[in-house]
Amino acid sequence: DMESEESKAAGFKKFESFVKRFKRSSASRNFDSIMTVNPLMKENIEKAKMLSRMPMHTLIYGETGTGKEMFAQAMIDASGVMEKNVVIQKCAAVPENLIETTLFGTVKGAYTGAETKKGLFAQADGGILFLDELNSMPYTVQAKLLRVLQDGSFRAIGATKAVSYTHLR
């Protein structure tokens, strides 16, 4: 009876080890985790690998369920940027009236109760800003976002001067 208890304990430890390995492997999103036989998708993987090593903005678009987030995570993993310098925001999770302040930050006194607060662009400066579900943003904010990507600078809500970011992917 004692032997069967030891056998159960050993079996449970093996199972726990398997679960930990599975969680680790499913949590890591790298290019090896994208499985395909489609030649076009393989070409896209190679392009994404190349882009991940370059300090440039990248837009990933496609139908729902095509693996856009997997590509983004794999590109972040391959970029060599430290995890602490990666800011990820699902835009659909931010209320429409807060998305602009979330992205660009605020200056104390910009509106009643406003405090000076860094936006996502300032937080990610020198790293990666991953904005998911851009289509959920109001068009006016999308236009401001485009200007930021073109000019390399942004203005916090209530600020009088634009701030340039040094390097952002």
Side-chain angles (χ1 to χ4, degrees):
D1 199 13
M2 186 67 149
E3 195 174 305
S4 67
E5 288 298 318
E6 286 175 7
S7 174
K8 284 180 187 177
F12 186 71
K13 280 189 176 194
K14 279 185 180 179
F15 179 73
E16 277 185 320
S17 174
F18 167 78
V19 169
K20 283 180 184 175
R21 277 195 325 273
F22 179 78
K23 282 183 177 177
R24 250 195 325 269
S25 68
S26 64
S28 70
R29 302 280 182 146
N30 54 38
F31 288 109
D32 294 336
S33 68
I34 303 173
M35 306 292 219
T36 185
V37 293
N38 182 313
L40 183 58
M41 190 63 117
K42 286 182 177 185
E43 187 179 317
N44 287 335
I45 290 169
E46 291 308 311
K47 285 178 187 175
K49 284 179 181 178
M50 182 184 67
L51 287 170
S52 67
R53 294 185 295 271
M54 301 173 87
M56 60 190 305
H57 308 297
T58 305
L59 175 66
I60 302 171
Y61 63 93
E63 299 293 321
T64 301
T66 55
K68 297 180 298 295
E69 190 171 347
M70 283 185 73
F71 264 80
Q73 293 289 354
M75 290 176 75
I76 290 168
D77 183 65
S79 72
V81 173
M82 292 175 33
E83 193 175 321
K84 69 177 184 158
N85 296 338
V86 176
V87 177
I88 299 173
Q89 179 64 56
K90 195 173 281 285
C91 297
V94 180
E96 241 183 65
N97 61 333
L98 296 178
I99 191 71
E100 200 168 343
T101 58
T102 300
L103 289 172
F104 308 122
T106 55
V107 173
K108 186 174 181 161
Y111 52 86
T112 305
E115 295 295 324
T116 299
K117 183 181 165 205
K118 276 186 171 184
L120 297 179
F121 276 96
Q123 290 174 37
D125 194 16
I128 294 174
L129 175 57
F130 172 33
L131 298 173
D132 194 14
E133 299 179 14
L134 288 174
N135 61 324
S136 65
M137 277 186 203
Y139 291 131
T140 55
V141 179
Q142 288 183 33
K144 288 180 181 182
L145 177 62
L146 181 58
R147 263 185 259 122
V148 171
L149 296 175
Q150 289 173 332
D151 300 344
S153 63
F154 61 93
R155 186 183 308 222
I157 307 305
T160 55
K161 289 190 216 168
V163 177
S164 294
Y165 55 82
T166 53
H167 173 74
L168 188 66
R169 295 185 192 188

